[in-house]
Amino acid sequence: MLYKLQKDTFAYFIKEVNNNTGLIADKTQPGAPSSIAATGLGLSCYIAGIERGFITRTEAAKRTLTVLQFFYNSHQGTDADATGYKGFYYHFLDMETGKRVWNCELSTIDTAILMAGILTARCYYNSRQQSEIEIRTIADKLYARVDWQWALNGKDSVSHGWKPESGFLRYRWNNKYSEAHIIYILALGSPTFPISASAYKKWIATFEWKKLYDIDCIYAGPLFIHQMSQIWLHFNGIYDDFNNKVGIDYFENSRRATLIQQQYAIDNPKGYARYGKNGWGFTASDGPGPCIRTVNGVKRQFYSYKARGAPFGPDDGTISPWAVVCSLPFLPDVVLSTIAHATKRLDFEKHHPFGFDASYNPTFPEKNALSHAWISRWQFGLNQGPVILMIENYTSGLIWNIMKKCPYIIKGLQCAGFSGGWLNLKTTKKM
């Protein structure tokens, strides 16, 4: 079941690609631009694909080198249509030219996800083949070029991003638990522009410790927050200052967050359709809105793309199967049961070419004739990649084990104050 889901999902990263730039599409919608986060996930997915026999090492290395060369040679500057600046890249890029689209931001989180994929490739392709030597060389240069100190904008936390028209965005990665671990670990581990550990320590000091459904946890509503950084960072058994304070690591916290999501669906306080033991998964996802509809006498608000969460919402009846799969390493028994239910009972692999639907909403009154639920028309690279990689981490630990050998990651974790477990056995060394 997992092998088929992983293989079907992997096809996204083979077909939704521009062969000249190597950029990977944000979603399956015709004409969609590239997402740099989807591209970073794709670089790690190629490696899982090699190990599973979905792609040859030669072909994967070729695809990887193509996109690394593109990023290295693309224009970095303050121009409105540049590809990046200060080593960072714009969130969305034209698939053909690689230029910025939609007046989007130079994104720190999406660049971090891209760099995580680049460093996975850097550590995996270790042969003396010329293509793999070039991958290692360019990957080092791309990571070294990211000016994390500039992204602080003179303060003690990383900005969400920057635009050439207006400068730095008003928001920062400085408040409450989020997906920002991958940003801070990469910024702390930088060989060229490292930030101070005080920025990380100030951020984790804002985390909220809550009791939900009689479960103590570090709170964040959307499930992706508990998953994204842990695609590459294996937090099981390692502790920072906040972990030491509350007595659990972030891996255990993600297990608890998954339980809370399932319990919320079983409780179903708002009475949405098909919520329950095998009907859960609330995260950033596409939705049927924005609109208000009256359903069975109840006026309900439905959202479009939204970071849905549990138990405090927002919640409009939309479920994301991919988010369930990405909790597989944390709570395998629960997740496997839900995947089996989705595969055998709900046929979520029959509506789209690349594995599970991105999201569905059986409460929304406009139904799909095949499933009696609203179903997202598109599949998204930001969903597809984590499915492949978290299945791989569950079955083999592949991505985690690669990154455990990356000196930049080890240095970043140690600078953040992590210790214990596998990290105590590691020392930083030059690559």
Side-chain angles (χ1 to χ4, degrees):
M1 179 178 67
L2 293 180
Y3 177 85
K4 183 181 185 304
L5 177 58
Q6 192 179 32
K7 184 177 182 180
D8 290 349
T9 307
F10 182 80
Y12 183 98
F13 296 96
I14 297 298
K15 296 181 180 179
E16 296 295 325
V17 182
N18 181 282
N19 291 329
N20 294 321
T21 60
L23 293 172
I24 296 170
D26 173 54
K27 56 184 174 179
T28 52
Q29 183 177 13
S34 171
S35 155
I36 62 168
T39 302
L41 286 160
L43 291 173
S44 292
C45 288
Y46 291 149
I47 293 167
I50 293 170
E51 296 298 318
R52 290 291 159 190
F54 304 154
I55 190 173
T56 67
R57 186 179 180 111
T58 299
E59 176 62 20
K62 178 182 176 182
R63 287 170 174 264
T64 299
L65 184 56
T66 295
V67 74
L68 263 58
Q69 288 173 333
F70 161 75
F71 278 117
Y72 186 69
N73 295 319
S74 62
H75 179 53
Q76 290 259 319
T78 58
D79 316 47
D81 65 348
T83 299
Y85 181 53
K86 295 286 186 178
F88 292 92
Y89 293 93
Y90 287 101
H91 192 162
F92 298 109
L93 303 174
D94 184 275
M95 289 283 285
E96 296 284 342
T97 66
K99 293 182 178 182
R100 174 198 189 204
V101 298
W102 296 343
N103 293 321
C104 64
E105 80 284 6
L106 197 78
S107 172
T108 52
I109 182 59
D110 293 281
T111 297
I113 293 171
L114 172 62
M115 290 298 151
I118 288 172
L119 289 182
T120 313
R122 167 64 180 86
C123 295
Y124 178 79
Y125 295 103
N126 56 7
S127 80
R128 294 185 179 181
Q129 291 288 331
Q130 185 58 37
S131 61
E132 299 197 10
I133 292 172
E134 287 188 57
I135 287 171
R136 297 194 295 273
T137 300
I138 298 174
D140 281 335
K141 291 179 179 180
L142 286 168
Y143 176 55
R145 192 162 68 180
V146 183
D147 192 342
W148 303 100
Q149 294 172 6
W150 171 80
L152 296 173
N153 189 27
K155 297 188 179 180
D156 56 5
S157 57
V158 175
S159 169
H160 275 208
W162 178 89
K163 290 188 174 184
E165 298 86 0
S166 53
F168 283 98
L169 306 184
R170 59 181 290 195
Y171 300 106
R172 292 178 165 273
W173 298 104
N174 65 347
N175 189 33
K176 299 181 181 179
Y177 188 47
S178 71
E179 66 273 30
H181 265 112
I182 193 65
I183 295 176
Y184 280 103
I185 299 309
L186 290 174
L188 289 166
S190 171
T192 46
F193 301 103
I195 66 170
S196 168
S198 63
Y200 177 79
K201 293 181 184 296
K202 287 182 179 179
W203 172 52
I204 64 174
T206 69
F207 292 180
E208 297 178 298
W209 184 248
K210 292 181 179 291
K211 183 183 287 289
L212 304 168
Y213 296 105
D214 207 32
I215 300 170
D216 293 316
C217 68
I218 305 166
Y219 174 71
L223 204 49
F224 82 93
I225 288 175
H226 301 279
Q227 300 164 337
M228 187 59 70
S229 290
Q230 295 192 60
I231 291 171
W232 297 279
L233 304 175
H234 196 205
F235 284 133
N236 193 7
I238 66 174
Y239 288 70
D240 66 7
D241 290 349
F242 196 87
N243 297 141
N244 285 320
K245 176 183 175 183
V246 299
I248 64 168
D249 58 44
Y250 295 113
F251 185 94
E252 168 62 19
N253 194 71
S254 294
R255 187 189 72 83
R256 297 183 183 191
T258 304
L259 278 172
I260 288 166
Q261 286 238 344
Q262 186 195 43
Q263 188 56 52
Y264 171 79
I266 293 170
D267 191 41
N268 195 9
K270 296 184 179 181
Y272 286 116
R274 294 197 203 166
Y275 278 23
K277 178 183 176 182
N278 291 315
W280 57 277
F282 312 107
T283 193
S285 65
D286 195 16
C291 62
I292 295 175
R293 296 282 190 274
T294 298
V295 183
N296 297 326
V298 179
K299 184 178 285 189
R300 296 192 182 277
Q301 182 172 1
F302 296 96
Y303 306 105
S304 55
Y305 198 91
K306 191 85 169 176
R308 295 163 174 83
F312 304 125
D315 177 21
D316 65 351
T318 300
I319 293 174
S320 300
W322 72 271
V324 173
V325 181
C326 295
S327 278
L328 184 57
F330 309 122
L331 199 65
D333 289 347
V334 167
V335 172
L336 286 169
S337 172
T338 304
I339 294 174
H341 176 79
T343 301
K344 297 172 184 176
R345 297 283 303 278
L346 302 179
D347 295 330
F348 284 150
E349 293 176 300
K350 294 184 177 179
H351 308 133
H352 290 98
F354 308 125
F356 280 169
D357 302 324
S359 53
Y360 70 102
N361 190 318
T363 300
F364 191 71
E366 297 176 17
K367 307 300 184 184
N368 181 301
L370 295 174
S371 67
H372 305 292
W374 172 89
I375 297 174
S376 175
R377 295 176 64 190
W378 318 116
Q379 291 175 294
F380 298 77
L382 199 58
N383 305 351
Q384 301 293 92
V387 167
I388 295 165
L389 298 172
M390 282 309 216
I391 289 176
E392 194 58 44
N393 277 332
Y394 168 69
T395 55
S396 73
L398 175 67
I399 305 302
W400 289 334
N401 291 333
I402 291 170
M403 296 307 262
K404 285 177 184 179
K405 298 176 183 177
C406 179
Y408 305 134
I409 295 296
I410 295 169
K411 176 188 172 185
L413 288 168
Q414 290 174 336
C415 288
F418 282 92
S419 63
W422 66 266
L423 191 57
N424 281 4
L425 305 176
K426 302 290 184 179
T427 56
T428 56
K429 61 180 180 180
K430 278 198 165 186
M431 293 176 74

